[in-house]
């Protein structure tokens, strides 16, 4: 339906950020409860910003819990990236607590658990590198997931040359 039409339009014409009656495509999708369109627009560069009437997207989507979840997830994702850039292990732990087990972290074409993204992205010289085992041991429910490239946490750890044998109590069997 609408998702496939929107996807085809984005592919053919690119993103249209024009406003119609004070709302752009993202706002209209929030208002009408089109969760898949909201996700698609966010993945293609739309930001969570107020409409021209200064209404927040969460207000526009107040009757659509799935969209409210998508918006919340995107906000967590933005904070996670900022914490990674700032090498802030405390904020990362706080953000990981807010992600539900089934929630995915999206960044451009990549998705996986937020812990997958952290392992894939952290600087080997920083505070996060020194505490990566703390994060993995504390958030074991992410260990059975794979990312958009098919990698488990164990795959990512091995690719980063981080010894998996140090994590003896973690079950890496994929669900």
């Amino acid at each position: 339906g609408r998702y496939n039409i929107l996807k085809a339009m984005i592919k053919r014409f690119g993103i249209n950020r024009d406003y119609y009656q004070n709302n752009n495509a993202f706002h209209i999708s929030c208002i009408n409860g089109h969760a898949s369109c909201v996700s698609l627009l966010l993945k293609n560069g739309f930001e969570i910003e107020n409409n021209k009437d200064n209404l927040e997207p969460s207000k526009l989507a107040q009757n659509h819990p799935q969209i409210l979840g998508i918006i919340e997830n995107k906000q967590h994702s933005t904070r996670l990236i900022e914490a990674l850039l700032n090498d802030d292990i405390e904020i990362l732990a706080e953000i990981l607590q807010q992600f539900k087990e089934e929630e995915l972290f999206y960044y451009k074409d990549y998705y996986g658990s937020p812990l997958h993204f952290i392992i894939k992205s952290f600087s080997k010289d920083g505070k996060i590198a020194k505490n990566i085992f703390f994060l993995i041991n504390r958030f074991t429910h992410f260990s059975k997931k794979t990312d958009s490239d098919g990698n488990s946490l164990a795959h990512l750890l091995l690719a980063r040359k981080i010894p998996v044998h140090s994590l003896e109590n973690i079950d890496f069997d994929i669900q």
Side-chain angles (χ1 to χ4, degrees):
R2 289 177 179 89
Y3 174 84
N4 290 331
I5 293 169
L6 180 60
K7 188 174 180 178
M9 289 176 65
I10 290 171
K11 185 175 181 176
R12 181 162 168 99
F13 304 111
I15 292 291
N16 180 342
R17 297 184 195 287
D18 292 344
Y19 280 75
Y20 174 76
Q21 296 182 348
N22 295 330
N23 295 299
N24 61 29
F26 172 72
H27 301 124
I28 293 167
S29 295
C30 287
I31 292 166
N32 292 308
H34 303 304
S36 59
C37 293
V38 167
S39 290
L40 181 63
L41 291 166
L42 288 172
K43 287 179 193 174
N44 281 279
F46 270 81
E47 296 296 325
I48 298 173
E49 58 190 15
N50 294 357
N51 69 2
K52 296 233 176 171
D53 293 324
N54 205 29
L55 294 173
E56 296 178 8
S58 56
K59 180 73 173 163
L60 299 172
Q62 66 187 355
N63 296 322
H64 307 289
Q66 187 177 7
I67 293 175
L68 293 173
I70 292 167
I71 291 170
E72 183 180 351
N73 180 290
K74 176 69 173 176
Q75 291 166 331
H76 291 327
S77 299
T78 301
R79 285 189 64 218
L80 187 141
I81 291 169
E82 289 171 3
L84 265 171
L85 291 172
N86 293 323
D87 200 31
D88 193 328
I89 191 76
E90 292 81 17
I91 296 292
L92 281 177
E94 177 187 316
I95 293 166
L96 285 170
Q97 284 180 317
Q98 295 170 357
F99 271 89
K100 298 172 188 74
E101 182 175 345
E102 65 279 358
E103 257 184 296
L104 293 175
F105 171 85
Y106 293 94
Y107 183 72
K108 298 184 181 176
D109 291 336
Y110 179 83
Y111 64 85
S113 80
L115 197 50
H116 280 84
F117 188 74
I118 291 168
I119 291 170
K120 195 171 179 108
S121 307
F122 73 87
S123 164
K124 288 189 176 186
D125 301 327
K127 200 185 319 179
I128 295 169
K130 294 179 183 83
N131 292 286
I132 196 68
F133 294 121
F134 161 77
L135 290 175
I136 295 168
N137 283 314
R138 184 157 175 207
F139 301 100
T140 59
H141 58 279
F142 294 127
S143 66
K144 294 182 176 273
K145 308 287 182 200
T146 57
D147 66 9
S148 54
D149 299 325
N151 294 312
S152 68
L153 288 181
H155 289 112
L156 293 175
L157 290 168
L158 290 170
R160 300 285 318 259
K161 297 183 174 45
I162 299 169
V164 179
H165 64 277
S166 304
L167 299 166
E168 30 189 80
N169 297 326
I170 306 293
D171 179 6
F172 287 107
D173 289 338
I174 305 304
Q175 293 176 333

